[in-house]
Amino acid sequence: IAATVVVMLAVSYGLARLLGLKTKLAILIACGNSICGNSAIAAVAPVIEADGDDIASSISFTAILGVLMVLGLPLLIPLLKLTATQYGILAGLTVYAVPQVLAATVPAGIVSTQIG
C-alpha cells in the first residue's frame, strides 16, 4: 500500500505538471488524490505555503474526480467480470475517501461494501 501511494503521488504530480498546473497546485492535487482527499490537502497546504486559490482548486478537483469514480467504477464490474470481492478490493484501493468507497460499492452488494 505504501509503495502504491508513493507511485501514485509521483504519477499524479507528473500528470498535473504535464498539464501545466503550478507546482503547489500539482502537489496538493497529488496528495489529495493519492492519500486521503481534503484532509491531505489541508495538512500539506501550510507546509508548502499554498494560497487559498490553490487550496480551493485542489479540493474542487478531488471532489469532481471522486464523483466520477463513484459513478464510473461500477461500470467496470461487468466489463472486467469482477466478483464482489474483487470489486471491493478495486474500489478500496482506487477511491480515496471512505464515504466515496461506500457510495461506489453499495450498488455491488454487501460483500463489496465490507471489503472496500
Side-chain angles (χ1 to χ4, degrees):
I1 293 171
T4 300
V5 170
V6 170
V7 167
M8 290 316 300
L9 277 167
V11 169
S12 297
Y13 175 77
L15 285 173
R17 293 297 291 152
L18 281 174
L19 292 172
L21 299 179
K22 298 183 298 181
T23 301
K24 290 180 182 182
L25 181 58
I27 291 169
L28 292 174
I29 288 173
C31 290
N33 287 312
S34 301
I35 301 173
C36 63
N38 297 341
S39 300
I41 292 168
V44 171
V47 174
I48 65 169
E49 299 177 354
D51 63 24
D53 288 342
D54 289 340
I55 295 168
S57 296
S58 60
I59 288 172
S60 298
F61 180 82
T62 57
I64 291 167
L65 185 60
V67 168
L68 292 175
M69 290 295 291
V70 166
L71 296 175
L73 204 56
L75 300 174
L76 294 179
I77 297 170
L79 192 66
L80 299 175
K81 297 181 173 80
L82 298 173
T83 66
T85 300
Q86 291 169 329
Y87 179 69
I89 292 168
L90 177 66
L93 289 173
T94 58
V95 181
Y96 70 83
V98 173
Q100 291 176 336
V101 172
L102 291 173
T105 56
V106 165
I110 192 72
V111 172
S112 289
T113 304
Q114 289 175 340
I115 291 183

